[in-house]
C-alpha cells in the first residue's frame, strides 16, 4: 500500500470508510509484487492496482462487497485454462490478494498510513493465513520496537516488541508457503502458487477457500470473518502479538516487505499463522557527486525511481539550487569529506560524475569501503584504467575495486545527458533487482527476477 499511502491517509483524515485489496503473495510471472494495492471508498472511487489490469474488475467487486458486509477475505487469482481472457492472469502467474474493510477509526492501519505519508520508518503486520478469527488482524510496529493495534481483539494492546526477542525464522518475499492454508487446528493444503501455468493445474478465475476446503478447489465459499471490521472480539493472548511485533521489527530493520510465519501461541516456529509485513522506510538515498550537466538529468531520473537525491560539489559556482531545482539537497563540500560525514546504508546509490582525479580518488577510496548498494563513476575507458591504477596505489584491494561500476551505466549508445541518465538508472535497477541488462527479446530469461534487496518505496 505504500504507493497509495498519501491518498489513503487523506481518506482517513476525511473520515471515509474504504476497502483495500493488497497482494500478499505472488507466483510465476505476476505483473505486480507483494504490497501492490487497490482501494475503493464508499462512493466507488478506486485508486491503485493489483495486477496492471488483469483482475482489477474482480478485485474492485470484492472491495465493494467488503465495504458492504464487513468481511475480510483472501482470494487467489490464477490463469484460466478455459478462457485466457476471463477473470485471471493471462501471463500465467498467481496472486493471493487480501481484501479488508477499513473504517475511518481503524487505529493501527490509520497510524501506519500517517507514518508512511510522512516518510517515517514503520511496519504494518497483517494476518493472511491462520485461524479465521485472526484473518486481517493488524499491528503497527515502530522502528524503536514499540507497537500498537491488535491481532486478536479490541483491547488495543501495546508494548515493546523487544520483549519477545528475535525468532530466527527467515522472512520471505515469495509465496514459499500456502497463503490460503490453515493453522495447526485445521488441515493444511500444502498448495502454493506455481511458477507458471504449464506446471500447474489450471486455476479457476478466483479461488475462494472455505473453512474445510482445499485452497485450490473452486467453490462458492469464501474465507472470511463476518463483521470483521477491525477491531474484533476474541483472541489468543498477548504472546502472539509480541512475537508478531518482534518479527515485523526484524523485517523493518532490514527494510523488507514480505511474509513470515509464527505459531498461534506466540512461539517462534512455523505452522500457526502467516503475517504479511509491509515496511515503510524513508526513500533510499542517491548522492550525485559533480554538479555537471549530466547531473541535472540524473537527478530527475533518481527522483523518478523514488530516491532522495543529493548533489554534492566543492565548487559553489556550480552547486546551486537554481541549477538543480529538483534535487532534495545541494551541498557545497569536498565530495570525500561530505561522504565521510553523511548517513548511508545498504540502499544508498553513489554516482560519481566528476571524472577528475583530485575529486575522484579520495572519494572512491572512501566509497568503495562503505556497505552501499551501488557505486558508479563516469569517464572514458582510459580514465577508468588510470583511476583503477591510482586506487590500487592508495591501498584498495581487488574485491573492493570489483564493486566499482565504471564506465558508469549500461551500453545503450547514450549521448545526451538524458540518455546517459537513463543508462545509469537502468544499471542501478539491474544491480538492485539482479537483472542482466540484456534485451528480453529472444533470450528466454525470466522477466521478473526473484532477487529483491529492498522494498519499493515512495518518493518523498
Amino acid at each position: 500500500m505504500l504507493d497509495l499511502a498519501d491518498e489513503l491517509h487523506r481518506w482517513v483524515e476525511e473520515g471515509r470508510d474504504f476497502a483495500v485489496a493488497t497482494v500478499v503473495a505472488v507466483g510465476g510471472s505476476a505483473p505486480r509484487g507483494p504490497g501492490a494495492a487497490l482501494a475503493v471508498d464508499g462512493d466507488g472511487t478506486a485508486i491503485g492496482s493489483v495486477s496492471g489490469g488483469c483482475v482489477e474488475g474482480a478485485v474492485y467487486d470484492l472491495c465493494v462487497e467488503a465495504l458492504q458486509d464487513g468481511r475480510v477475505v483472501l482470494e487467489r487469482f490464477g490463469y484460466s485454462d478455459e478462457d485466457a481472457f476471463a477473470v485471471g492472469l493471462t501471463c500465467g502467474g498467481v496472486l493471493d490478494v487480501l481484501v479488508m474493510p477499513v473504517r475511518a477509526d481503524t487505529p493501527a492501519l490509520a497510524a501506519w498510513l500517517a507514518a508512511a505519508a510522512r516518510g517515517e520508518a514503520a511496519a504494518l503486520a497483517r494476518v493472511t493465513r491462520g485461524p479465521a478469527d485472526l484473518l486481517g488482524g493488524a499491528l503497527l510496529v515502530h522502528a524503536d520496537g514499540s507497537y500498537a493495534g491488535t491481532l486478536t481483539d479490541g483491547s488495543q494492546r501495546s508494548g515493546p516488541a523487544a520483549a519477545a526477542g528475535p525468532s530466527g525464522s527467515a522472512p520471505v518475499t515469495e509465496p514459499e508457503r500456502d497463503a490460503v492454508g490453515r493453522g495447526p487446528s485445521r488441515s493444511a493444503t500444502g498448495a502454493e502458487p506455481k511458477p507458471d501455468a504449464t506446471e500447474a493445474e489450471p486455476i479457476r478465475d478466483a479461488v475462494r477457500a472455505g473453512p474445510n476446503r482445499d485452497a485450490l478447489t473452486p467453490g462458492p465459499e469464501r474465507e472470511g470473518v463476518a463483521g470483521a471490521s477491525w477491531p474484533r472480539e476474541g483472541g489468543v493472548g498477548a504472546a502472539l502479538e509480541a512475537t508478531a511485533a518482534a518479527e515485523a521489527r526484524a523485517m523493518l530493520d532490514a527494510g523488507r516487505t514480505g511474509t513470515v510465519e509464527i505459531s498461534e501461541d506466540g512461539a517462534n516456529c512455523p505452522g500457526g499463522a502467516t503475517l504479511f509485513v509491509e515496511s515503510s522506510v524513508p526513500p533510499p538515498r542517491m548522492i550525485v557527486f559533480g554538479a555537471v550537466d549530466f547531473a541535472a538529468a540524473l537527478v530527475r531520473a533518481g527522483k523518478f525511481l523514488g530516491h532522495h537525491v543529493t548533489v554534492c560539489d566543492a565548487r559553489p559556482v556550480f552547486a546551486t539550487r537554481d541549477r538543480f531545482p529538483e534535487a532534495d539537497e545541494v551541498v557545497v563540500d569536498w565530495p570525500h569529506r561530505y561522504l565521510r560525514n553523511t548517513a548511508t546504508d545498504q540502499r544508498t546509490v553513489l554516482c560519481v560524475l566528476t571524472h577528475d582525479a583530485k575529486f575522484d580518488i579520495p572519494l572512491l577510496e572512501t566509497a568503495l569501503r562503505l556497505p552501499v548498494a551501488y557505486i558508479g563513476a563516469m569517464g572514458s575507458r582510459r580514465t577508468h584504467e588510470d583511476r583503477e591504477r591510482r586506487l590500487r596505489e592508495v591501498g584498495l584491494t581487488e574485491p573492493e575495486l570489483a564493486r566499482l561500476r565504471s564506465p558508469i551505466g549500461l551500453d545503450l549508445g547514450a549521448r545526451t545527458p538524458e540518455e546517459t541518465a537513463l543508462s545509469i538508472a537502468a544499471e542501478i535497477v539491474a544491480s538492485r533487482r539482479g537483472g542482466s541488462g540484456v534485451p528480453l527479446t529472444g533470450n528466454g530469461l525470466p522477466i521478473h527476477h526473484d532477487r529483491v534487496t529492498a522494498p519499493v518505496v515512495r518518493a518523498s
Side-chain angles (χ1 to χ4, degrees):
M1 285 188 291
L2 282 171
D3 52 349
L4 305 183
D6 287 330
E7 185 69 9
L8 293 183
H9 176 53
R10 184 173 66 83
W11 285 9
V12 169
E13 290 189 320
E14 293 174 352
R16 296 197 213 180
D17 293 339
F18 59 91
V20 61
T22 307
V23 176
V24 296
V26 301
S29 185
R32 301 202 66 192
L38 181 147
V40 180
D41 72 359
D43 295 328
T45 301
I47 59 173
S49 170
V50 295
S51 70
C54 298
V55 298
E56 306 304 310
V59 173
Y60 178 92
D61 291 341
L62 290 174
C63 287
V64 172
E65 291 177 21
L67 276 170
Q68 294 171 347
D69 61 25
R71 291 162 61 91
V72 177
V73 300
L74 183 64
E75 292 281 345
R76 174 167 291 177
F77 295 92
Y79 182 78
S80 171
D81 187 41
E82 298 172 357
D83 182 356
F85 294 96
V87 179
L89 297 170
T90 57
C91 57
V94 178
L95 294 180
D96 286 337
V97 180
L98 181 71
V99 183
M100 61 184 295
V102 179
R103 306 308 177 193
D105 59 351
T106 300
L109 182 53
W112 181 77
L113 289 171
R118 292 191 299 265
E120 297 175 0
L124 179 69
R126 288 181 287 169
V127 178
T128 62
R129 183 193 62 82
D133 64 330
L134 300 183
L135 188 66
L139 285 181
L140 168 71
V141 181
H142 297 284
D144 63 0
S146 61
Y147 62 94
T150 181
L151 300 182
T152 58
D153 60 35
S155 63
Q156 301 306 301
R157 286 189 288 272
S158 62
S167 74
S169 61
V172 295
T173 56
E174 303 81 30
E176 297 178 2
R177 310 175 181 92
D178 176 22
V180 190
R182 295 293 186 273
S185 61
R186 305 182 184 181
S187 60
T189 68
E192 60 186 32
K194 301 297 183 182
D196 55 53
T198 62
E199 298 181 13
E201 291 289 326
I203 301 172
R204 284 274 186 92
D205 301 337
V207 178
R208 300 177 177 184
N212 297 302
R213 299 183 65 86
D214 185 290
L216 295 182
T217 302
E221 295 86 351
R222 183 178 299 157
E223 182 176 33
V225 184
S229 57
W230 179 78
R232 298 167 295 158
E233 296 183 354
V236 296
L240 174 66
E241 290 169 358
T243 301
E247 295 285 3
R249 184 188 183 187
M251 295 281 278
L252 179 62
D253 287 345
R256 300 183 64 184
T257 287
T259 57
V260 64
E261 291 194 2
I262 59 176
S263 70
E264 184 177 344
D265 63 3
N268 295 309
C269 61
T274 299
L275 297 176
F276 179 67
V277 180
E278 289 184 86
S279 294
S280 167
V281 292
R285 296 193 68 186
M286 171 186 282
I287 309 178
V288 180
F289 295 100
V292 297
D293 52 352
F294 290 93
L298 185 56
V299 167
R300 293 193 292 272
K303 294 297 294 180
F304 179 76
L305 292 178
H307 291 269
H308 180 281
V309 182
T310 300
V311 176
C312 176
D313 197 300
R315 301 165 297 178
V317 67
F318 295 114
T320 66
R321 173 58 65 182
D322 288 342
R323 297 190 69 218
F324 302 98
E326 295 173 89
D328 295 289
E329 299 174 293
V330 179
V331 176
V332 178
D333 199 352
W334 278 85
H336 69 283
R337 184 168 60 193
Y338 175 73
L339 183 57
R340 288 172 183 169
N341 294 309
T342 193
T344 59
D345 59 26
Q346 293 181 347
R347 301 182 300 145
T348 301
V349 168
L350 306 178
C351 299
V352 181
L353 308 185
T354 50
H355 49 81
D356 184 330
K358 68 176 177 291
F359 295 116
D360 290 359
I361 301 308
L363 171 60
L364 290 172
E365 181 183 2
T366 299
L368 291 170
R369 289 169 174 158
L370 291 175
V372 295
Y374 173 92
I375 306 167
M378 180 176 281
S380 67
R381 297 193 184 281
R382 179 177 297 178
T383 298
H384 170 68
E385 292 173 359
D386 179 68
R387 183 186 289 139
E388 279 199 328
R389 177 184 60 79
R390 291 171 182 267
L391 290 171
R392 288 189 182 94
E393 290 176 353
V394 298
L396 265 71
T397 65
E398 293 305 316
E400 290 169 338
L401 288 173
R403 299 180 59 210
L404 178 61
R405 304 296 184 108
S406 175
I408 195 171
L410 298 183
D411 179 15
L412 304 183
R415 287 189 177 274
T416 68
E418 289 74 19
E419 291 173 347
T420 302
L422 176 62
S423 167
I424 297 169
E427 185 175 50
I428 290 169
V429 173
S431 174
R432 178 185 178 193
R433 299 296 187 186
S436 65
V438 302
L440 291 171
T441 304
N443 65 22
L445 294 174
I447 296 174
H448 305 291
H449 292 256
D450 291 334
R451 174 183 168 192
V452 178
T453 57
V456 177
V457 297
R458 300 177 308 103
S460 61

